[in-house]
Amino acid sequence: MGPDAGGSPLRKREYDEDDVRVRPGKGSRPRTRRRPAHEDAVPGFVVAVDRGRYTCLVGGGVTETGVDGRGRRDDPPRPVTAMRARELGRKGIVVGDLVSLVGDTSGRPDTLARIVRVEPRTSMLRRSADDTDEVERPIVANADQLVIVTALADPPPRPRMIDRLLVAAFDADIEPLLCLTKADLAAPDDLVARYEPLGVPFLVVSKGGDLDPVRERLDHRLSVLVGHSGVGKSTLVNGLVPDAGRAVSHVNAVTGRGRHTSSSAVALELPGGGWIIDTPGVRSFGLGHVVVDNVLAAFPSLAEGTVHCPKGCTHRSEECSLDAWVAEGHADPMSLASLRRLLASRDGEPDDD
C-alpha cells in the first residue's frame, strides 16, 4: 500500500492488554445457596405417581400439615398433574407426601405444575431390594397405620412375610393391623395365636361379609395396605371404596400364588373420612436397611434386658443376656420367641410358604 496523506508509511497497530477481549468463564459468577422462596406455592397431597408425573390433590382441606377429609362438599379438592422441580435434586417423592406446588394448579387438561417442596414426613414405609442391600426404597409417606392383608386360605398364609412386614412397621414407627381375609375358607385361630404375644390388633373378613369393623379401624386415618398377590386386597379396597375400580386377580391353581393386578400405589379417599393407600402385591420385602434396635424398640420389656448383652449382640446367640432376663421373670418367654422370629426374618431366613 502507498504512503498515507501525511507522507509517512502505514505501520502495524501496537496492541496492549486493554485491547484483549476476555470472555468470562462459567464459574466467574459467584454461586449462591439461596433458592426461590416460592411464597405463592399451594399445598398438595400426592395420590399417585406414574413415570415422573405426580397426581396431587389441591384445595378442599389439603394443607401443608395434612389432609382434612371432612366438610369439603362446597370446595372439593381438584387433581393437578405435576412434575418435580429441578431444584429438588434427587429427593424422591412418593404417594402420601405433602408437597408445595407452583405454576398452573388449575387442574385443567394439558396443564402441568411443579413440585418445589416436600414437607417433613411423619413416617416413611421403606423396603430394600433384598436383605443384603442396605439402600432403602421409599414406598409410602406419612401413613400412621400399616394394614397387613393376608388370606387364611387360597393362597395359604405366609407367616414369614407377615413377620417381615411387622418389622418394617416397627422400623417406620407405624401402627400395624393384621387383616385376615377369606375366613369363609379357613379358621383364623392358629394365625391369631401366633401373633397374640406381639399384641398386634387383627380383623377377620369373610367373602361378602360386613366391612364396618374395617371401616372403624380406618376411620380418619392414613392407612397403607400391603400383602402378597391373591390375598383379596383389591377386593377389600373395592368394598371400602365402591368407585375405586381396582382390578381383581385369581390364584393360580398350580403355584398357589396370585397375579399382580395393581401396578403402582394409589391413595383413595374413604367415603366416611380417611384415606387408604393401595400398593401392588409383593412376593418379597427386603429389610436390609433395618437395624436391630428398631425392631427391639417394639418390645419394651425386653429392651431393658439388653444392657448386659455383649457388644454387637444379635440377640439370637447363646451369649445374649435376654434368656437370663426372661428366666428371672422380667419378660414373657413368648415375647422373646416372637422377637427372635422377627430378627430371623430380618436376617433373610427362607420364607415358609
Side-chain angles (χ1 to χ4, degrees):
M1 299 178 64
D4 60 10
S8 61
L10 292 176
R11 297 179 303 171
K12 290 184 177 180
R13 182 179 176 185
E14 296 180 0
Y15 293 93
D16 56 26
E17 62 270 14
D18 293 332
D19 294 302
V20 179
R21 298 180 61 187
V22 179
R23 178 177 296 177
K26 293 183 179 179
S28 62
R29 179 180 296 177
R31 291 189 174 186
T32 175
R33 293 183 179 272
R34 297 180 61 184
R35 294 290 184 266
H38 297 299
E39 297 178 354
D40 58 340
V42 298
F45 174 55
V46 180
V47 296
V49 179
D50 182 20
R51 292 169 293 184
R53 293 293 183 265
Y54 305 88
T55 302
C56 308
L57 293 184
V58 173
V62 181
T63 67
E64 295 177 354
T65 57
V67 184
D68 184 3
R70 294 168 290 182
R72 295 185 287 100
R73 293 182 180 179
D74 297 334
D75 181 26
R78 59 187 180 277
V80 173
T81 302
M83 62 179 292
R84 182 176 56 187
R86 181 179 297 179
E87 61 204 67
L88 289 180
R90 295 185 177 181
K91 185 177 182 63
I93 302 172
V94 296
V95 173
D97 264 325
L98 295 168
V99 297
S100 296
L101 303 99
V102 298
D104 194 334
T105 59
S106 65
R108 293 190 298 266
D110 301 323
T111 60
L112 189 65
R114 284 188 302 127
I115 297 176
V116 294
R117 279 195 303 270
V118 179
E119 303 299 334
R121 294 158 171 162
T122 58
S123 68
M124 174 58 72
L125 180 63
R126 303 167 294 173
R127 64 182 290 191
S128 59
D130 53 52
D131 293 324
T132 63
D133 186 359
E134 296 183 358
V135 178
E136 60 189 48
R137 299 183 179 185
I139 302 175
V140 169
N142 298 317
D144 56 22
Q145 185 169 233
L146 173 61
V147 183
I148 303 171
V149 184
T150 188
L152 293 167
D154 191 33
R158 295 169 58 188
R160 191 71 73 189
M161 173 64 79
I162 299 174
D163 292 345
R164 297 174 76 79
L165 292 173
L166 286 174
V167 170
F170 296 148
D171 176 67
D173 196 21
I174 301 175
E175 181 181 335
L177 172 64
L178 191 58
C179 184
L180 307 177
T181 62
K182 305 186 182 182
D184 51 303
L185 301 179
D189 301 9
D190 291 343
L191 204 59
V192 170
R194 180 184 177 99
Y195 294 99
E196 187 175 7
L198 290 171
V200 178
F202 68 92
L203 294 168
V204 180
V205 179
S206 300
K207 183 178 181 180
D210 184 14
L211 293 181
D212 283 345
V214 181
R215 293 187 181 95
E216 292 177 4
R217 288 280 188 174
L218 305 179
D219 186 39
H220 292 100
R221 303 189 68 171
L222 181 56
S223 305
V224 51
L225 278 61
V226 181
H228 61 275
S229 302
V231 298
K233 184 164 54 64
S234 295
T235 301
L236 179 63
V237 170
N238 289 335
L240 295 169
V241 186
D243 59 348
R246 301 297 274 177
V248 178
S249 70
H250 298 282
V251 177
N252 188 298
V254 176
T255 65
R257 295 182 181 272
R259 180 174 57 87
H260 296 297
T261 53
S262 302
S263 59
S264 60
V266 61
L268 302 165
E269 186 175 12
L270 293 167
W275 292 80
I276 55 173
I277 299 177
D278 186 21
T279 62
V282 295
R283 290 178 180 166
S284 64
F285 204 96
L287 299 173
H289 62 285
V290 177
V291 297
V292 173
D293 287 346
N294 287 356
V295 183
L296 188 61
F299 300 82
S301 62
L302 294 173
E304 299 178 27
T306 61
V307 295
H308 302 296
C309 287
K311 185 177 180 180
C313 182
T314 63
H315 306 303
R316 298 180 60 200
S317 63
E318 295 181 357
E319 294 78 12
C320 179
S321 66
L322 287 177
D323 292 285
W325 180 260
V326 169
E328 295 169 1
H330 298 295
D332 184 358
M334 293 292 290
S335 295
L336 178 57
S338 297
L339 170 65
R340 286 178 170 164
R341 190 180 75 235
L342 296 181
L343 292 177
S345 176
R346 169 192 169 273
D347 292 340
E349 292 191 359
D351 284 356
D352 46 356
D353 291 338

